[in-house]
Amino acid sequence: MGLFKRKQDKRAEEITAWAKAYLEEKAQGRAVPAVEAEALMGEASEPLEKVEVAAESAAAASMPVRADERLSAQQRMPALPPEEATVVPTDEPPAETTAAEEGAKAVVEPGVTAKLGLEPTPAVGEEAQAERTAPTLFERLRSGLSKTRDGFIGRMDRLFSSREKIDGAVLEELEQILIESDIGVQHSMALIGKLEEAIKTRDLDRPALIKGYIRNEILGVLSADGHQLKRPASDPFVIMVVGVNGVGKTTTIGKLARRFTQAGEAVLLAAGDTFRAAAAEQLEIWGGRVGADVIRHQSGSDPSAVIFDALKAAESRKAGVVIADTAGRLHTKVNLMEELKKMKRVMDKVIPGTPHEVLLVLDATTGQNALSQARIFNEAVGVTGIVLTKLDGTAKGGIVTAIVGELGLPVKLIGIGEGMEDLRDFDPEEFVRALFEAS
């Protein structure tokens, strides 16, 4: 007990000495703490715990609150005895806090930001990220045609770069490139024939000029009239969608329906594929996603009856657009193709002049097989336009030129991805530009 009492008395003496030193500085106007030193002196006789708490409060109160009110080492209060703290004196002048530094503190201290009423400063890189815009529609198209561009334009560039002179051998290799890129045999031969005549009559001795000539020829073929959907003057606008299984026909119908519902139109889908298992259910799912009503019958029923009921419902409900799905079938099956003819006759009987559009969905990855499909479907039901899907996954995008050039069928829509917005109107100039321009 005696030892503890001596330590307590010694500690009280140290705090009392510290308080006296503080009173002397206060008399000189150097510090104004929240706790008066006299109170500390008066508490020296109190239990040690109370005295130490009071001393620590005085030390905390004497610290500067704002950065611009910092005190130099000479202006600070004397430090507590070594048991409490260690002070390293310095002769450096007080640091001044600039407005920029205060702003920087607001970035990392949300609480300070709120107190100062300042807007938080964006973190490093956030402004650049905000300025970075999403890819444009053209950039996405160009990206989707990258495989076709590498297989067609890339090979053509490599051919020209390896030859110093444009001669018959170069033109022969160029013709092979065109055919293998699914431009079409007939169209490729015709294009090379025109190019040979142009070389004789013009000064087309440079690869860049020949490449530009081919580009203009392809653009001329694709720019034929009729590549836009032709809507009648009065509703409903009836669209019949045909194609073999696996080309993305039902998905195309769903995306096309979304385009119309996004424009505020009432869309009705006719589940005319009554043969494939779960075809009607799949169409109903799409109808729910895009906000379109679906007319369906039981599986295995007459598809022409579904079309009849759908058109009658469209008239009674004042629907703006009717899109009719049909069973996917091989184009070589004559009896199944006859069923399509019957459905088309029923449409014309219910609403004369319909369907206004007969869209054939083709898979671009099938290349020349797509060309034969287009030829037979066109003979059966009179195709008015082509929807070319999966262009983003093939090097055979040149089939667009073959379909238009050899069959005279306009490409009206193209699919360049799996997203809802990836079914796009076909723009010949944009397509050719995306095909020939790497970046």
Side-chain angles (χ1 to χ4, degrees), residues 102-114 116-123 126-127:
E102 291 291 349
K105 291 179 64 178
V107 175
V108 297
E109 298 178 13
V112 176
T113 301
L116 295 177
L118 301 175
E119 290 293 331
T121 303
E126 285 186 359
E127 292 182 354

Side-chain angles (χ1 to χ4, degrees), residues 22 104 114 166 248 315 398 414 437:
Y22 169 70
I166 305 301
E315 289 182 320
I414 57 175
E437 295 181 8

Side-chain angles (χ1 to χ4, degrees), residues 182-184 187 222 368 371 398-408:
D182 288 287
I183 300 295
H187 189 62
L222 298 180
Q368 291 298 308
L371 186 61
I399 194 63
V400 175
T401 307
I403 292 172
V404 178
E406 296 187 18
L407 301 181

Side-chain angles (χ1 to χ4, degrees), residues 34-347:
V35 181
E36 296 291 343
E38 289 90 343
L40 291 175
M41 293 182 64
E43 291 174 355
S45 60
E46 296 292 331
L48 180 61
E49 292 82 4
K50 291 182 62 177
V51 175
E52 289 182 344
V53 169
E56 290 172 0
S57 300
S62 65
M63 295 299 292
V65 178
R66 291 171 48 187
D68 56 356
E69 294 178 351
R70 293 176 182 171
L71 301 175
S72 66
Q74 293 83 358
Q75 291 174 320
R76 293 194 184 112
M77 293 171 49
L80 286 173
E83 294 184 20
E84 295 297 320
T86 301
V87 177
V88 179
T90 177
D91 295 330
E92 295 181 1
E96 295 183 1
T97 304
T98 64
E101 291 174 336
E102 291 291 349
K105 291 179 64 178
V107 175
V108 297
E109 298 178 13
V112 176
T113 301
K115 290 179 181 180
L116 295 177
L118 301 175
E119 290 293 331
T121 303
V124 177
E126 285 186 359
E127 292 182 354
Q129 182 68 24
E131 294 177 357
R132 190 180 303 164
T133 58
T136 64
L137 293 177
F138 173 75
E139 289 171 342
R140 289 171 54 208
L141 175 61
R142 183 171 58 194
S143 175
L145 292 174
S146 60
K147 292 184 178 180
T148 299
R149 182 171 54 252
D150 293 341
F152 175 32
I153 308 302
R155 290 181 62 190
M156 188 165 59
D157 289 340
R158 288 191 292 272
L159 171 63
F160 291 147
S161 64
S162 63
R163 302 297 180 89
E164 297 181 356
K165 181 180 179 182
I166 305 301
D167 53 17
V170 173
L171 294 179
E172 185 175 343
E173 289 189 41
L174 180 59
E175 182 180 17
Q176 183 179 352
I177 292 174
L178 293 173
I179 294 174
E180 292 178 354
S181 300
D182 288 287
I183 300 295
V185 176
Q186 296 180 6
H187 189 62
S188 297
M189 294 175 63
L191 182 57
I192 293 298
K194 292 181 180 179
L195 182 58
E196 288 177 339
E197 292 297 324
I199 292 176
K200 293 177 182 178
T201 58
R202 308 180 197 176
D203 188 18
L204 295 180
D205 56 349
R206 287 180 295 169
L209 296 176
I210 295 179
K211 184 177 178 180
Y213 180 86
I214 295 174
R215 173 174 176 164
N216 291 335
E217 285 293 317
I218 292 177
L219 178 59
V221 172
L222 298 180
S223 297
D225 294 336
H227 57 81
Q228 297 179 343
L229 294 176
K230 294 181 179 180
R231 183 154 188 169
S234 59
D235 292 336
F237 177 25
V238 181
I239 303 172
M240 182 180 185
V241 182
V242 298
V244 302
N245 284 327
V247 296
K249 188 162 71 315
T250 305
T251 300
T252 297
I253 291 173
K255 293 180 179 180
L256 184 58
R258 177 181 178 271
R259 290 165 56 117
F260 291 114
T261 57
Q262 290 285 88
E265 300 209 50
V267 179
L268 193 149
L269 305 180
D273 186 355
T274 60
F275 295 99
R276 182 169 62 89
E281 288 78 5
Q282 184 182 4
L283 196 64
E284 283 187 322
I285 292 174
W286 270 106
R289 291 176 64 185
V290 303
D293 294 334
V294 179
I295 302 297
R296 59 167 296 186
H297 285 188
Q298 293 183 350
S299 180
S301 59
D302 184 1
S304 296
V306 178
I307 299 300
F308 180 89
D309 290 346
L311 294 181
K312 286 296 185 182
E315 289 182 320
S316 63
R317 300 180 190 182
K318 306 297 182 184
V321 180
V322 178
I323 306 176
D325 189 13
T326 60
R329 58 203 68 204
L330 292 175
H331 53 287
T332 56
K333 299 295 183 180
V334 178
N335 57 331
L336 295 179
M337 298 298 287
E338 289 297 324
E339 184 63 41
L340 287 179
K341 296 178 182 179
K342 178 183 175 182
M343 296 171 68
K344 187 177 180 183
R345 290 195 300 268
V346 169
M347 290 182 180

